[in-house]
Amino acid sequence: ILNVEQSPQSLHVQEGDSTNFTCSFPSSNFYALHWYRWETAKSPEALFVMTLNGDEKKKGRISATLNTKEGYSYLYIKGSQPEDSATYLCAFKGSQGNLIFGKGTKLSVKP
Amino acid sequence: NAGVTQTPKFRILKIGQSMTLQCTQDMNHNYMYWYRQDPGMGLKLIYYSVGAGITDKGEVPNGYNVSRSTTEDFPLRLELAAPSQTSVYFCASHTGRANYEQYFGPGTRLTVT
């Protein structure tokens, strides 16, 4: 059974803080790693799809890195804002099979 | 483009009743998926399809059925609703290409009592 682990489970930060969280996934048969942002009462929206070891992607204040050899990805948020409050999901895709989602990291940013 | 649409948004079912959750996408995606989301459990794959006429089981298919007669539509059928099927259901679609994300519908919140 393939496992995708995310940590921490939840995070409370003050507005302006920078934060990061981790996604761990199997290091064999890697195909892609997805990050999604999921606001309460909405549907998940894609942030990044990463496929190459050493990949770094950035969208505004959010960035992500990928290490396929050791099986982890970091998501960074610089200068958190209240509107960043959401659950951040990562999902692993092996060379065969569908996306396997982690349970997410729930971020709360206090003004 | 409307993207991925789902109906209904909310539904309450009695135990033993049946219903169909509708999902439609207008992006001409071959791949479509049904997930359920339970608190603290993340997204679990119920069924998926790689094209019209082709469906396959995901991680938690028991109690559900699907069909894929067209590229656009991928309905999910609950035949005999049980309380364990109380959940939020998300439909998603994908091009099938490696570098592309899945697109999710708005979800259907189902309660079985």
Side-chain angles (χ1 to χ4, degrees):
Chain A
I1 296 176
L2 298 175
N3 233 6
V4 177
E5 302 284 345
Q6 289 188 249
S7 62
Q9 191 173 343
S10 64
L11 199 51
H12 298 264
V13 302
Q14 289 294 131
E15 183 175 354
D17 287 350
S18 293
T19 187
N20 66 85
F21 15 96
T22 306
C23 173
S24 300
F25 52 86
S27 55
S28 58
N29 299 318
F30 176 86
Y31 198 63
L33 194 283
H34 294 214
W35 280 101
Y36 291 85
R37 181 171 180 275
W38 193 359
E39 288 183 71
T40 303
K42 294 188 177 180
S43 52
E45 290 186 352
L47 286 170
F48 307 113
V49 177
M50 309 175 81
T51 57
L52 297 174
N53 183 44
D55 237 357
E56 290 190 30
K57 297 220 170 181
K58 189 174 181 183
K59 187 181 285 189
R61 292 179 291 99
I62 304 177
S63 60
T65 60
L66 179 68
N67 183 323
T68 61
K69 294 186 177 179
E70 295 181 42
Y72 64 84
S73 175
Y74 294 134
L75 189 80
Y76 300 92
I77 302 179
K78 186 176 178 183
S80 303
Q81 300 297 309
E83 57 264 31
D84 295 328
S85 297
T87 296
Y88 292 83
L89 292 174
C90 72
F92 165 82
K93 180 169 171 55
S95 53
Q96 292 181 350
N98 298 298
L99 281 181
I100 299 169
F101 284 84
K103 294 180 183 178
T105 292
K106 185 171 183 178
L107 175 67
S108 298
V109 183
K110 292 182 183 176
Chain B
N1 284 355
V4 182
T5 57
Q6 290 182 238
T7 56
K9 286 198 166 106
F10 305 94
R11 184 73 186 267
I12 298 174
L13 280 183
K14 292 192 188 306
I15 294 171
Q17 284 185 318
S18 301
M19 78 164 293
T20 299
L21 281 67
Q22 301 291 347
C23 175
T24 300
Q25 52 91 11
D26 62 359
M27 296 173 282
N28 202 32
H29 286 170
N30 283 324
Y31 287 65
M32 294 186 76
Y33 307 86
W34 274 107
Y35 296 93
R36 58 178 287 171
Q37 188 256 328
D38 302 311
M41 297 300 291
L43 289 167
K44 298 290 185 185
L45 182 65
I46 304 171
Y47 269 96
Y48 67 100
S49 168
V50 301
I54 306 168
T55 62
D56 211 342
K57 294 177 181 179
E59 188 180 355
V60 289
N62 291 347
Y64 307 95
N65 274 304
V66 293
S67 59
R68 184 97 181 270
S69 55
T70 66
T71 299
E72 294 79 18
D73 300 306
F74 190 40
L76 177 73
R77 178 98 180 141
L78 283 71
E79 289 295 349
L80 290 169
S84 61
Q85 293 176 305
T86 294
S87 190
V88 182
Y89 292 84
F90 287 96
C91 179
S93 74
H94 187 248
T95 66
R97 295 180 186 172
N99 288 354
Y100 288 76
E101 67 267 33
Q102 285 191 6
Y103 292 85
F104 286 84
T108 295
R109 184 176 291 275
L110 176 67
T111 302
V112 182
T113 61

